[in-house]
Amino acid sequence: MIRCRFAFRIALFAFAAVVARAADWPRFLGPNNDCASAETKLLHEWPKEGPRKLWEYEKGEGHTGPSITGGRVVLFHALEGNEIVDCLDVATGARQWRVTYPADYTSQYGAGPGPRTGPVIDGDLVFTLGIKGTLQALELASGKVKWKRELAKDYRLLPTFFGQGGTPLVMGDKLIVPLGTDDQKSVVALDKNTGRELWAAKHPWGSSYSSPVPGNFYGRECILAYQGGMADPPTGGLLVIDAATGAVLSATPHRARMFASVSISAPVISGNRVFIAEAYTEGGACVEIAPDFSAKVVWRAPKFATYIMSAVAQDGCFFGFAGQHQQNAELACYEVATGRELWRDDLGGRFQRGSLLRADGAFLCLGENGDLAWLDLTRQGAKVQASAKLFNAPESWTGPALSEGRLFICQNEAGSNGTRPRLICYDLRGK
């Protein structure tokens, strides 16, 4: 009996840990790095004005989203020549601490000075990578700096269009950072507790604005990095990297043919296939990883050109908004096995280059001008289940975040009714 009670307690603790992890949103791609949440019993209907707003927090410049865990919300943004990390109370939006440092940055290509990467929470640490290469580890409880590195000084970084842009990834004791250096350190792994380099994946492709994701192929832990920086002629593509050693297992070229182009969408995994895409000339490609870790493009989809958002995999399909410009952006569905386009729909033109988050049997969709919807996406098509106009402001490219029934939306530019850039927390907790 004692043994049974002990086993029950262990199972209960394990279940509680899974539930807690499922409720967190520790990185901008979500708890499993696939723009999806395991949360259920969410509110799928709301009034005309949308779900109930719990609080809002005025923010500075940048298009990065928040990370949430343990009752804390971490936001990374820029204000008056400084990069700022704010920690907020998840229930009220009240600020608990702030870390700030100078980071005056002007892009020669006209983009704003805000950071391109989101904060990453792992246990009691928060990691941020700034636009000029400031990488720091902060204590989640207090904001105290545990370690800090200036990557532009520590490495010979290759030039970039808009500063550093790939959000780091935690895997075990490693912090994976996409870099790109003139001595071909394309991706590095640092000790997450000290910042010390553990290995460097050597390849000439520089850092893009895509963020690496973890993958397990044939029992081997890997890192998928869609690289390709400010190179002329333009080069880049998908690197499959051994997570333990940093060995580059395969490199599959896929990059726009024009110099002034960037890759932003993160790799999307479905089985042993990986979808990557850019939006300037080539569109999408599906790469198959073989048991010997060789890789080949099994199909191409020039019209499946995801740009700012990352596609989402479900039921043997990839779903995503394709199109470089607002006027030609459409939601599309492609079959993983064949690369066949099953359908595309502009959803009445409201969402344009929107973002998707899969949760509770449907998809939350945020349009780039402040429209929110629940979508039912299947192989047969798209159906709008509920929608609302939250605000009217451009560049709402930041994907939504979901934690414990709270939906976090970034308004990145001033709204038509005078609202300032802000982080807004909405209530999606169902009964």
Side-chain angles (χ1 to χ4, degrees):
M1 182 64 71
I2 293 175
R3 188 174 299 171
C4 291
R5 286 200 299 265
F6 179 76
F8 174 76
R9 288 177 182 175
I10 293 295
L12 185 62
F13 291 154
F15 174 77
V18 169
V19 171
R21 286 195 297 270
D24 291 340
W25 194 270
R27 188 173 182 255
F28 86 105
L29 292 171
N32 295 308
N33 297 286
D34 59 358
C35 299
S37 169
E39 292 193 31
T40 59
K41 299 181 180 179
L42 299 174
L43 186 69
H44 284 251
E45 297 179 352
W46 50 61
K48 181 180 180 181
E49 63 273 16
R52 181 170 67 99
K53 182 171 68 175
L54 297 173
W55 51 262
E56 63 180 62
Y57 183 83
E58 188 170 316
K59 74 181 192 73
E61 297 190 77
H63 295 86
T64 69
S67 296
I68 307 103
T69 189
R72 293 181 171 93
V73 181
V74 180
L75 180 67
F76 190 30
H77 55 125
L79 191 64
E80 299 176 347
N82 295 304
E83 284 186 329
I84 296 170
V85 186
D86 283 332
C87 180
L88 315 177
D89 180 86
V90 73
T92 65
R95 191 166 76 209
Q96 298 180 339
W97 53 257
R98 165 173 282 190
V99 173
T100 180
Y101 57 87
D104 194 15
Y105 179 85
T106 301
S107 169
Q108 61 179 309
Y109 289 87
R116 319 299 187 204
T117 66
V120 180
I121 303 175
D122 180 70
D124 59 356
L125 293 178
V126 179
F127 303 96
T128 60
L129 174 60
I131 197 169
K132 299 176 72 173
T134 298
L135 177 66
Q136 58 183 357
L138 309 174
E139 293 181 359
L140 178 60
S142 65
K144 180 182 178 181
V145 178
K146 184 170 183 178
W147 58 261
K148 187 174 184 178
R149 294 191 64 171
E150 298 294 344
L151 300 182
K153 295 179 181 179
D154 297 344
Y155 293 91
R156 299 192 300 275
L157 298 181
L158 294 170
T160 60
F161 288 103
F162 308 112
Q164 295 304 117
T167 296
L169 168 69
V170 175
M171 293 186 71
D173 61 351
K174 301 178 183 69
L175 180 68
I176 311 301
V177 184
L179 275 188
T181 69
D182 63 5
D183 57 348
Q184 299 191 1
K185 290 185 175 183
S186 185
V187 178
V188 299
L190 307 179
D191 186 309
K192 70 179 183 182
N193 293 304
T194 65
R196 177 178 60 89
E197 183 182 301
L198 299 175
W199 54 247
K202 301 297 276 301
H203 198 277
W205 291 340
S207 179
S208 69
Y209 293 88
S210 173
S211 299
V213 299
N216 190 307
F217 299 94
Y218 312 104
R220 192 172 191 174
E221 292 292 333
C222 298
I223 297 156
L224 304 177
Y226 185 25
Q227 295 288 86
M230 193 175 177
D232 194 9
T235 56
L238 178 68
L239 298 180
V240 180
I241 301 168
D242 183 278
T245 67
V248 176
L249 304 176
S250 65
T252 307
H254 185 72
R255 175 73 191 272
R257 295 187 301 273
M258 55 189 291
F259 167 70
S261 61
V262 294
S263 301
I264 303 174
S265 296
V268 184
I269 302 171
S270 179
N272 65 342
R273 294 191 169 190
V274 182
F275 178 72
I276 53 176
E278 61 80 40
Y280 292 82
T281 63
E282 302 303 290
C286 186
V287 178
E288 185 172 273
I289 313 298
D292 64 355
F293 288 89
S294 61
K296 64 178 181 180
V297 174
V298 291
W299 52 260
R300 297 184 186 274
K303 292 184 178 181
F304 198 22
T306 60
Y307 184 31
I308 300 164
M309 65 89 68
S310 297
V312 182
Q314 177 175 269
D315 297 336
C317 297
F318 293 123
F319 299 93
F321 284 92
Q324 183 184 357
H325 305 288
Q326 291 173 283
Q327 62 268 26
N328 67 357
E330 297 175 305
L331 182 59
C333 172
Y334 276 72
E335 189 173 56
V336 175
T338 65
R340 181 167 57 103
E341 182 182 298
L342 301 182
W343 54 262
R344 63 178 51 230
D345 190 334
D346 70 354
L347 301 176
R350 285 184 296 161
F351 299 95
Q352 299 176 343
R353 296 166 297 185
S355 299
L356 295 174
L357 188 164
R358 179 165 54 85
D360 200 16
F363 288 78
L364 282 161
C365 174
L366 177 66
E368 67 175 295
N369 293 305
D371 294 270
L372 179 69
W374 274 111
L375 303 179
D376 178 26
L377 304 183
T378 66
R379 300 171 65 90
Q380 286 70 45
K383 295 179 181 179
V384 179
Q385 298 176 326
S387 65
K389 185 73 172 175
L390 302 181
F391 49 81
N392 188 34
E395 298 189 14
S396 298
W397 299 323
T398 308
L402 180 67
S403 179
E404 295 184 332
R406 296 178 176 89
L407 183 68
F408 298 85
I409 302 289
C410 283
Q411 178 185 327
N412 296 319
E413 297 291 330
S416 59
N417 60 350
T419 55
R420 302 277 298 168
R422 54 192 170 148
L423 171 66
I424 314 171
C425 177
Y426 293 96
D427 192 359
L428 285 189
R429 292 170 292 185
K431 295 181 179 179

